[in-house]
Amino acid sequence: MVQLLFTILTDGLIYGSYLFIVAVGMTVIFGVQRVLNVTHGSFYAFGAYLAAYLGGIWYDHELPDFGGFVIIFLAAIVVGVFFGILIERGLLKHLYGKDEHIVVLATFAAFLALEGVGLFIWGTDPYFFYQPQAMLGFVEILGMTYDYYNLSLIVLALIISLAIWYFLSRTIWGRLLRAVIFDREISQAMGVNVTAVFLGTFILGTTLGALSGAAIAPTISVLPGIGVEVIVLAFAVVVIGGMGSIPGALIGSILVGVVRAAAVHEFPQAEMFVIYAIMAIVLVFRPEGLFAPPAVRKI
Amino acid sequence: MSFDRTIIGVTIAVVLMACATFFIPDWVRQIGLLSMAIGSVALGLLVLWRTGLISFGHALFYGFSAYGVALLNHLGVRDAFVLVIVSAAASGLLAWGLGFLVRRYRAIFFALLTMAFSMILYGVLAKTERFGSTDGLNIHPPTFLGYAPVDQAAQITLFLFGLLVVYGLMLGVQIYLRSVLGQMTTAVRENEIRVEYLGYSVEHVIHIKYVISGLLAGFGGAIMALAVGQVDPESMAYWTASGEFVFVAILAGTGNVAAPFIGAVAFEIIRHFAWEHGANLWQLIMGGTLLAIIMFVPDGIWSVLQRLVRKKDGVK
Amino acid sequence: MTTILEVNGLEKRFGGVVAAQNIGVNVSAGETIGIIGANGAGKTTFVNMVTGHLAPSAGTVKFLGANIVGWPPRRITELGLCRSFQVPQVFLSESVFDNVLLAYGIAEESGFSMLRPLRNKERDARVRKHLASYQIAEHEKTAASALSQGIRKLLDIAMATVRKPQLLMLDEPTSGISVEEKFDLMDIIMAALREEQTTVMFIEHDMEIVQRHVARVLAFSQGEIICDAPTAKAMVDPKVVEFVLGQEYHAEVRSDA
C-alpha cells in the first residue's frame, strides 16, 4: 500500500513535471499576449529533433558524454530564438487585436505548415538520443526502478518555476511584464515598449517549448507527430491551472500528473482521458482555472 | 428571393451529381463521398460560427456517430438508413446533454470545453478493447432497404444515399437559418443583453444551435463510417480531426449552406493529390492554404464565388 | 385607473454601499412618469432592478399582479415590461430594418413557431410602419454602427416597443444628444408612445423636457425617493430644489460651458 502510494506519487511527480515543462511556455505566452499558441507543439518537436540530431553527431564522434546536456540547452535556445522571432514578427504581429479564434486558427495553420517543414528536414525515420539518460543510470527505491534522468525532470521543473518567479517578482523586466499583463494600453501610455515585451515574452515561451522537447528527447523516440499531443496536453494544463497563471500551471500539472499516475496503476482504461476529464470538470465548475487571480483576467 | 435561389441551386446540383455518379471513376466518387461526410460536419460548424462560436471538438459527434454505425453494424444492423439515422440521432442526443454545460460558454472557453469533451471520447475509444482500441472496427457493407449491392454498385448506391442525406440536411439547415430562431446569429454574437430584453433566452438559442450542429456532425461521421468501411479513434475522434473540420469551415466560409460542401470538395481534392507526393507536402499545403485564407480571404471560398458572380452580373 | 406596477421596500446593496433603499412606488396604466435625480442617486439602479437586470437585495416588484423579483429579463419582457438603455443596445453590424425585424420575430413567435421564416410580407410591412412612427424609416438600410447617436437611441427605443409593452422604462433617452436635437427626439418618442397609449417611465436630466412631457415626477437622491408628486408640485418641492434641481442646474451650466 505504502509502496503503491509512493509509486503513484513519484510517477505523478515525474509526469507532472513533464507536463509543466511542456505547458509553461504556452502559459507564459497566453498570460502576456492572450494568444493560445498552437505552434507550441512545433517548438517542442523542433527542440526534440534538433537535440537528437546534434546529439547523434556528437556521440557518433565519441565525444564526452556530458555534452548531451549542453546540446539540450543549446538546441532549445537556437530553436526558441529562431522560431520565436519568425512566428512573432512574421505572423502574430499581424494578428494582435483580432478575434481570438482567428489567432488560434492562424497558429494552427502555422503548426501544420511547420509539421510539413519538419518532415522535409528530418524525414520520417526516428531519431534516438538515449545517451544522457543512460549516462545518469538508475536508482532503486522501494523495489521500483527509477531513471535518474526522469527524476531530474522534477528538478528542471523546479528550476524553471523558480527562475520565472524570480524574474517576474524581483527584476525590473518582470515588473514591466506584469504591468503589461495587467493593462496593455495603460502600460503603453506609460511608455512601456509593448512590442519589445511581446517579442521578448514570445521568445521566452518558444525557448521553453523547445527546451521541453529537447529535455524529453532522451526518453522517447523522436518521431514525426510528437508535437501533436503536446498541444492538447498544454491546453489542458493552461486551462486547469488558470489561463496565464504560472503557479497554477505548476500545481495543476502536479495534480494532473498524480491523478494520471493513479489511473495508470489502478484504472488503466482512464489513462488517456483523465487529463481531459479534469480539464472539462475545471471548465464547468471553475472556468477561470484553479489558481488564476480573477482580478487580472480580462476574458 | 435568395431563399428560392439557394434551394433551386442546391436541388439542380444534387440532381446533376446523382446523374453523373454513374459515369465518374471510382476515386472521384469516393472523393465525393468523403466530401459529403466532411461537408456535413463543416455545415454544423457553420451553424455555430455564424453566432461567433467555434467548436474545436466536433470530432466528438463525428466520432460518436461513426462508432455508433460500427457498433450497430456489429450487432447485426445492416440497413444504411437505420444505421445513419440512429447514430446521428444519438449524436444529437449527446449534444443536447452536453449543451446544458456548453451553452454557458463563449469564445475560447467554448472552444476549449468542446475540445476537452472530444478528447475524453478519444481516450475512451482508444483504450476500450470492445471498440477495437487504437485499431478501431471494420464495418460490413450496408444494405439499402433490403437491396444489397456489391462492388461498384455498392459505391454508387452509397453515393446516391449520401446525396439524399446531404440534400435533406442542406434543406433543413436552410429552413432553419431563415427562421426567427436561425436568424439569431449576429444578434447573439453582438448583443446578448438586447436579445434577452427582446424576450428570448440566449442560452436557449445556443443550445439549439449546438444540438443541430452535433446532429449534422453525427450525419457526417455516419456517412464517413460507411464510405471508408471502418472506424478508428485517431482519424475519427482525435483533435486533429476537429482541426480539419474547422479548416474546411474556414476554407468554405459561412455565406451559404452549400459552401461547406464546396469547401469539403476542395479540401478532399487537395488532400488526394498532395498525398501522392507524401505527407510533408500535404501538411505544408494545408497550413499554407489556411494561413492564406485567414489573412487574405477571411470569408472563405464562397465569398470569392459570390464576388465573381456579382462581377459578371455587373458587366451585364 | 388600474395599477400595473407596485414596488415595495426595494433595496440594493453592493457590499456596504447602499445604492437604493426604501423604494416604493405605484404606477397606473396610462401614466407618463419622469425619474429625476443627480448622478448616482439610484435612478438607473431602480430601473435595472425592476427590469431584472440587477437582483434587488430586498423588496418586491409586482407587475400586472405577478411578483417579478428574480425573473430573468426575458420573462419580464414577455410579460409586457420593456426597456431601453442609456447606451443603446442594438445589433451594430445589422441594418436598422434587420434590427427591428428580429425584434418583431422574437415578439411574435414562440416555441416551434420560432422555426417559421423571419421574413414575410406582413411582418415587413409592420416593421416599416414601426420605423415610420419613430421617423427612422429613411435609415432602414443603414448599419446600426453607422447611425448618429440620436438615431441609434430611437432605434433602441423602437426595438423596446415592438411588443407594445404595458410599461416602458427608458434610461436617459436624451443623454449624449445635443441640446438642439433632444427636444425633437423626445417629441418623436412621446408621439409614438402616445399613439400606442403606452405607460412610460423615463429617466431625464433636462427639466424642460420633464415639464413638457410628464405629469408625475419621481425624484431620487442618495438611493431614495425624496419626492413623488405631480410635475408642477415636484418642481417647487424644497427637497427636490435642494437635492436635485440645484445640482442639475450646476451640471447643466458645466456641460454648457
Side-chain angles (χ1 to χ4, degrees), chain A residues 91 100-102 104-106 109 112-113 116 119-120 228-229 232 235 239 243 269 271 276 283-284 287 297, chain B residues 52 56 104-105 107-109 112-113 115 119 124 127 238-239 246 250 280 283-284 286-287 290-291 294-295:
Chain A
L91 180 64
E100 57 187 343
H101 295 121
I102 295 303
V104 178
L105 292 171
L112 290 173
L119 281 166
F120 267 119
V228 178
E229 197 195 0
V232 272
F235 275 7
V239 166
M243 300 222 188
Q269 295 91 328
E271 177 199 339
Y276 305 104
L283 275 171
V284 168
R297 289 171 30 74
Chain B
F56 288 170
R104 292 163 22 213
Y105 296 87
I108 209 76
F109 287 92
L112 286 172
L113 184 59
M115 194 206 83
M119 287 302 290
V124 171
K127 273 283 175 181
Y238 202 50
W239 75 269
V246 176
I250 288 190
N280 41 8
Q283 282 179 312
L284 260 185
M286 194 155 109
L290 184 55
L291 264 186
I294 290 170
M295 292 297 190

Side-chain angles (χ1 to χ4, degrees), chain A residues 41-60:
Chain A
S42 315
F43 308 147
Y44 172 91
F46 276 90
Y49 264 111
L50 187 63
Y53 176 74
L54 294 177
I57 295 174
W58 183 267
Y59 290 113
D60 277 352

Side-chain angles (χ1 to χ4, degrees), chain B residues 30 34 37 62-84 87 130-132 135-144 149-150 154 158 161 218-233 235-236:
Chain B
Q30 188 65 10
L34 302 184
Y62 177 79
F64 191 76
S65 173
Y67 268 80
V69 167
L71 292 172
L72 283 174
N73 189 268
H74 277 239
L75 289 175
V77 180
R78 296 291 291 274
D79 190 83
F81 287 90
V82 177
L83 287 172
V84 169
S87 304
R130 201 178 311 153
F131 301 154
D135 293 335
L137 299 166
N138 285 318
I139 296 166
H140 304 291
T143 59
F144 301 86
V150 286
L158 185 59
F161 170 78
F219 275 108
I223 294 173
M224 182 58 93
L226 292 180
V228 297
Q230 61 163 45
V231 295
D232 70 278
S235 64
M236 296 288 184

Side-chain angles (χ1 to χ4, degrees), chain C:
Chain C
M1 276 294 184
T2 48
T3 303
I4 54 172
L5 181 75
E6 278 182 73
V7 176
N8 274 307
L10 206 59
E11 182 177 304
K12 181 70 197 175
R13 291 169 185 278
F14 297 100
V17 182
V18 180
Q21 64 180 341
N22 272 333
I23 295 179
V25 60
N26 287 353
V27 177
S28 304
E31 279 198 282
T32 304
I33 298 171
I35 301 173
I36 63 172
N39 288 326
K43 309 181 297 291
T44 297
T45 306
F46 166 69
V47 170
N48 282 347
M49 284 193 288
V50 172
T51 57
H53 196 57
L54 263 184
S57 311
T60 56
V61 179
K62 268 186 141 182
F63 178 65
L64 303 180
N67 185 357
I68 59 173
V69 168
W71 284 27
R74 60 175 180 279
R75 272 186 77 194
I76 296 175
T77 303
E78 278 175 311
L79 191 60
L81 202 175
C82 297
R83 69 169 293 182
S84 75
F85 297 84
Q86 189 178 348
V87 177
Q89 300 291 321
V90 297
F91 310 125
L92 287 173
S93 68
E94 304 256 28
S95 70
V96 167
F97 185 88
D98 286 346
N99 264 280
V100 175
L101 179 66
L102 186 63
Y104 265 97
I106 295 174
E108 293 174 353
E109 309 288 1
S110 65
F112 281 105
S113 85
M114 295 291 285
L115 288 171
R116 285 192 201 136
L118 175 61
R119 285 198 84 153
N120 59 52
K121 276 196 187 121
E122 295 75 28
R123 188 173 288 149
D124 280 8
R126 287 194 291 276
V127 171
R128 295 222 159 79
K129 185 161 168 278
H130 198 64
L131 292 177
S133 65
Y134 282 89
Q135 302 192 17
I136 49 177
E138 59 180 298
H139 303 284
E140 182 183 307
K141 293 197 171 74
T142 314
S145 58
L147 297 173
S148 70
Q149 181 70 359
I151 307 297
R152 208 181 293 165
K153 287 248 176 187
L154 284 173
L155 174 60
D156 186 48
I157 294 165
M159 288 171 81
T161 52
V162 296
R163 280 181 183 268
K164 310 211 183 314
Q166 304 280 316
L167 172 61
L168 178 68
M169 300 187 102
L170 307 177
D171 189 355
E172 301 207 24
T174 67
S175 74
I177 308 295
S178 70
V179 181
E180 303 87 66
E181 279 179 287
K182 64 184 179 185
F183 289 93
D184 291 343
L185 185 84
M186 245 3 242
D187 285 349
I188 294 171
I189 297 168
M190 296 313 288
L193 293 176
R194 247 193 318 277
E195 207 175 306
E196 302 285 347
Q197 298 179 320
T198 309
T199 312
V200 58
M201 302 175 82
F202 66 85
I203 299 178
E204 181 54 61
H205 284 282
D206 189 317
M207 292 307 138
E208 272 185 70
I209 287 180
V210 171
Q211 282 168 315
R212 182 176 161 89
H213 290 290
V214 310
R216 175 180 164 196
V217 164
L218 293 180
F220 277 73
S221 180
Q222 306 200 339
E224 294 190 63
I225 296 180
I226 52 170
C227 175
D228 177 357
T231 309
K233 214 171 138 197
M235 288 298 131
V236 295
D237 182 279
K239 273 197 198 154
V240 173
V241 171
E242 185 183 347
F243 292 109
V244 182
L245 301 185
Q247 293 178 28
E248 280 300 329
Y249 287 133
H250 264 301
E252 284 298 315
V253 170
R254 239 184 305 156
S255 65
D256 287 350

Side-chain angles (χ1 to χ4, degrees), chain B residues 154-177:
Chain B
Q155 202 200 20
I156 290 176
T157 316
L158 185 59
F159 187 91
L160 291 172
F161 170 78
L163 263 185
L164 182 70
V165 171
V166 162
Y167 182 59
L169 296 182
M170 282 196 278
L171 291 195
V173 171
Q174 179 69 7
I175 290 168
Y176 164 75
L177 289 176

Side-chain angles (χ1 to χ4, degrees), chain A residues 34 179-186 293-299:
Chain A
R34 299 280 123 185
V180 174
I181 294 172
F182 196 77
D183 197 316
R184 184 191 307 181
E185 273 135 44
I186 290 187
V296 183
R297 289 171 30 74
K298 283 192 281 194
I299 45 172

Side-chain angles (χ1 to χ4, degrees), chain A residues 55-67:
Chain A
I57 295 174
W58 183 267
Y59 290 113
D60 277 352
H61 290 79
E62 299 186 359
L63 294 165
D65 276 358
F66 72 89

